[in-house]
Structures are given as structure tokens and as C-alpha cells.
């Protein structure tokens, strides 16, 4: 595949990638360069020219930025015009963000994924990072927002928790039970149960603590009350995540519209519960929690590529 995708002899091929996929390889997304410590580390391992040797990409571009056209071999194999343009990619979770909100969201727009675990991202005009809280920033494509700050920067800030809907399966809540019990929960009221709904020891965000234990007791005799407490606990983790982003300097400090994807987005009562907890915490009734219509990463990748040509 590598030979077919290239446009020249293998020894002359240029390895390219994008900001998002290179972040966790150590790429410096603030200064848009490979840090000197990476080169020094690889040189110590016997690789004299790690970038030139293709150990790390020579060119790292913005997601959505045109890189070049496909090779003649690929065009023939798949019946594509050789003029087809290859653009910088992104990660699956960032692509899901584009799918949910498009390529030009307002600052403060957020996406929360409520699957087996909880992950959240918010568009910020400032960079934030704190390993002790599991928080990091992806540089947002420069073409995507008309309200960028004076430096032309926008960032997808957030993190991923280990709490989420997986705990509901662990506690043997069936789909029918979730639906019927949720109908009996009042999203405008709290229940005096304080849970931290992990399936096992260890948390990543909004605090990185490998020793953090699940809190799933006391267990009330009423399953509806138990479900209420668990959903409330997951909602609190989301709320605390947004608080942590604001404390670190994310701008704006509070979310605007929070688009929701994943299995949890099908629970209307839970959406109302989460919205109330956010509006109460930030004392801002303009915060809205809504279900995202599109969440597939493939759809987001298509939006990203198409946005280049607007």
C-alpha cells in the first residue's frame, strides 16, 4: 500500500501526516514543529536523521489542508481521477466532533460522547493542558472558524473519563429497564446519592488518578433511584470536566451548546438532567444540551475535506 500511495521511488518518498494524528507522537502543536528532544532521543538510539529517514513525518499539515494528488497506480486501481486531492486527516474522535457540529462552530461549542466511557471536547480560543487532570488540546484547523482570536488560533480542548454507560451493563440494567425507569425520573431534582460510576479502579479525566475507586454504594432498594443516582454521577463528571477546562483558562470559560452523541444521547430525560446541572453550575440559562444528528467519523472526515474548498 505504501508503494502504491507514493508518487516516486521509495527512497525519495516524503512521509506526511497531520497535527491531530501527530499530537501523541510528541509533535509540538503550538510551535508546529518536532521538539528537539524527540530528535535527540532517536539520535541516541542510532538514527542520525530521524526526520529525513522517515521515522517521523517530514511534513505535518493542518487537518483538511491539501497535500497533493493521488498516485497513478491508486487512481487506476480504484477508478478515481488522478486529480483527486489528498488532504490532511484527523483522529476518529475529532472527526466525530466535525460530524456533530460542522467545520465552523462557535467558540464554546462542545461535544460530549456518552458511550461505554465519557469523552468531551470544547472549542476554545486558548490552549490548555494539564496532565494531572488528563486535559490536552488539539489545534483546530485554521480555516474552520471566523471568530478566531487575534493570533488565528483555535483549540479543541478536553479529555476522556473512564465513567460512562458501561457501568449500566455491569449493573445489569436492560434496555427496557433503562427506558421504563428513566421515564419515572424527574430531571429537575437531585437524589441524595453520591456515586462515582467507574467499572473498575482508575480514572483519567477530570483527574488522572490510577488509584481512584468506583463508588456505587449505598444501593437503594428501588432500581429507579439507583439509576437516578448513577446518571447523576456521570453528569457530575461531565460538569466537573467543563469546570476544569474553565479553571485552566479555556475561552470561553463555560460551554455554549453541548452536542451529545453515543448511546446516552437517546435518553431525553438524561439530556435534561445534564442541561440543568450545567446551567445551575455556571448560572447561565443559555447553555443547551442537544442530540447531535450526525456522529459518524467518516461523515466528519468528509466535512473536513469539503471545508477546504468552501
Amino acid at each position: 500500500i505504501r508503494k502504491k500511495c507514493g508518487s516516486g521511488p521509495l527512497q525519495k518518498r516524503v512521509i506526511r501526516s497531520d497535527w491531530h494524528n501527530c499530537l501523541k507522537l510528541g509533535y509540538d502543536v503550538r510551535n508546529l514543529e518536532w521538539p528537539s528532544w524527540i530528535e535527540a532521543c532517536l539520535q541516541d538510539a542510532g538514527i542520525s536523521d530521524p526526520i529525513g529517514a522517515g521515522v517521523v513525518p517530514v511534513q505535518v499539515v493542518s487537518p483538511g489542508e491539501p497535500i497533493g494528488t493521488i498516485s497513478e497506480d491508486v487512481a487506476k486501481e480504484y477508478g478515481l481521477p488522478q486529480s483527486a486531492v489528498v488532504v490532511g486527516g484527523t483522529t476518529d474522535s475529532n472527526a466525530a466532533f466535525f460530524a456533530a457540529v460542522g467545520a465552523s462552530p462557535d467558540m464554546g461549542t462542545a461535544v460530549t460522547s456518552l458511550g461505554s466511557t465519557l469523552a468531551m471536547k470544547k472549542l476554545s480560543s486558548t490552549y490548555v493542558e494539564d496532565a494531572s487532570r488528563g486535559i490536552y488540546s488539539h489545534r483546530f484547523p485554521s480555516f474552520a472558524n471566523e471568530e478566531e482570536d487575534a493570533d488565528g488560533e483555535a483549540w479543541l480542548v478536553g479529555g476522556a473519563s473512564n465513567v460512562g454507560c458501561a457501568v449500566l451493563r455491569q449493573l445489569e440494567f436492560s434496555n427496557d429497564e433503562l427506558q421504563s425507569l428513566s421515564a419515572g425520573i424527574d430531571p429537575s431534582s437531585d437524589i441524595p446519592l453520591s456515586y462515582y460510576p467507574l467499572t473498575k479502579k482508575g480514572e483519567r479525566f477530570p483527574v488522572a488518578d490510577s488509584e481512584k475507586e468506583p463508588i456505587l454504594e449505598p444501593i437503594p432498594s428501588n432500581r429507579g433511584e439507583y439509576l437516578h443516582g448513577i446518571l447523576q454521577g456521570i453528569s457530575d463528571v461531565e460538569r466537573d470536566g467543563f469546570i476544569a477546562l474553565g479553571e485552566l483558562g479555556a475561552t470561553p470559560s463555560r460551554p455554549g451548546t453541548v452536542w451529545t452523541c453515543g448511546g446516552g444521547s437517546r435518553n431525553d430525560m438524561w439530556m435534561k438532567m445534564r442541561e440543568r446541572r450545567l446551567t445551575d453550575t455556571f448560572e447561565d440559562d443559555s447553555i443547551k444540551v442537544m442530540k447531535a444528528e450526525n456522529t459518524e467519523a467518516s461523515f466528519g472526515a468528509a466535512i473536513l475535506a469539503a471545508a477546504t474548498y468552501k
Side-chain angles (χ1 to χ4, degrees):
I1 293 174
R2 189 179 174 201
K3 290 181 70 176
K4 288 184 177 180
C5 288
S7 58
L10 183 60
Q11 65 270 23
K12 295 182 180 179
R13 198 148 305 130
V14 176
I15 307 301
R16 302 177 175 91
S17 188
D18 60 87
W19 300 340
H20 292 174
N21 280 293
C22 285
L23 175 68
K24 293 183 181 179
L25 289 177
Y27 186 72
D28 184 344
V29 293
R30 302 187 76 180
N31 296 308
L32 300 180
E33 63 184 12
W34 291 105
S36 58
W37 66 262
I38 286 185
E39 294 188 56
C41 181
L42 292 171
Q43 287 169 352
D44 288 344
I47 303 171
S48 59
D49 182 12
I51 295 178
V55 176
V56 295
V58 173
Q59 183 182 14
V60 182
V61 302
S62 166
E65 180 180 339
I67 295 174
T69 56
I70 61 175
S71 70
E72 183 178 354
D73 288 342
V74 170
K76 288 180 178 178
E77 180 171 351
Y78 295 102
L80 298 171
Q82 198 172 342
S83 59
V85 175
V86 177
V87 302
T90 185
T91 63
D92 56 352
S93 62
N94 286 347
F97 184 95
F98 295 124
V101 305
S104 301
D106 295 328
M107 290 293 176
T109 300
V111 173
T112 295
S113 175
L114 291 172
S116 58
T117 58
L118 180 154
M120 49 189 285
K121 296 179 185 291
K122 186 180 83 168
L123 189 62
S124 166
S125 61
T126 50
Y127 174 96
V128 297
E129 180 182 22
D130 187 345
S132 70
R133 301 192 192 191
I135 292 172
Y136 58 93
S137 295
H138 278 286
R139 182 182 282 268
F140 202 71
S142 57
F143 60 79
N145 196 291
E146 296 178 356
E147 297 182 5
E148 292 169 341
D149 66 9
D151 296 323
E153 293 184 356
W155 302 91
L156 269 182
V157 302
S161 169
N162 287 338
V163 308
C165 299
V167 74
L168 299 173
R169 296 303 183 213
Q170 185 182 67
L171 297 172
E172 300 181 346
F173 282 95
S174 67
N175 288 340
D176 289 342
E177 192 178 19
L178 289 172
Q179 185 174 359
S180 62
L181 293 178
S182 293
I185 295 174
D186 180 2
S188 67
S189 65
D190 292 339
I191 192 167
L193 295 168
S194 183
Y195 296 143
Y196 204 93
L198 293 165
T199 58
K200 58 184 179 181
K201 183 172 73 173
E203 178 59 302
R204 298 176 290 170
F205 167 82
V207 59
D209 181 0
S210 61
E211 298 301 314
K212 190 168 185 62
E213 295 281 356
I215 301 175
L216 294 168
E217 295 180 342
I219 302 175
S221 58
N222 184 298
R223 289 278 281 178
E225 292 180 359
Y226 198 26
L227 178 62
H228 190 165
I230 293 167
L231 297 182
Q232 181 176 280
I234 299 172
S235 302
D236 287 347
V237 172
E238 178 187 33
R239 175 203 62 196
D240 292 347
F242 282 121
I243 290 173
L245 294 177
E247 289 175 345
L248 289 174
T251 308
S253 60
R254 62 193 63 185
T257 299
V258 181
W259 297 94
T260 308
C261 56
S265 67
R266 296 193 291 268
N267 191 321
D268 292 336
M269 181 284 302
W270 196 10
M271 301 268 282
K272 294 175 183 177
M273 178 192 294
R274 292 168 47 227
E275 182 175 284
R276 180 181 64 83
R277 298 185 88 69
L278 291 175
T279 56
D280 287 354
T281 297
F282 291 103
E283 299 180 341
D284 184 352
D285 290 338
S286 70
I287 298 173
K288 300 300 179 186
V289 174
M290 304 178 70
K291 180 179 180 179
E293 291 187 16
N294 299 300
T295 60
E296 292 294 329
S298 56
F299 185 81
I303 287 177
L304 180 64
T308 302
Y309 300 98
K310 69 176 182 178

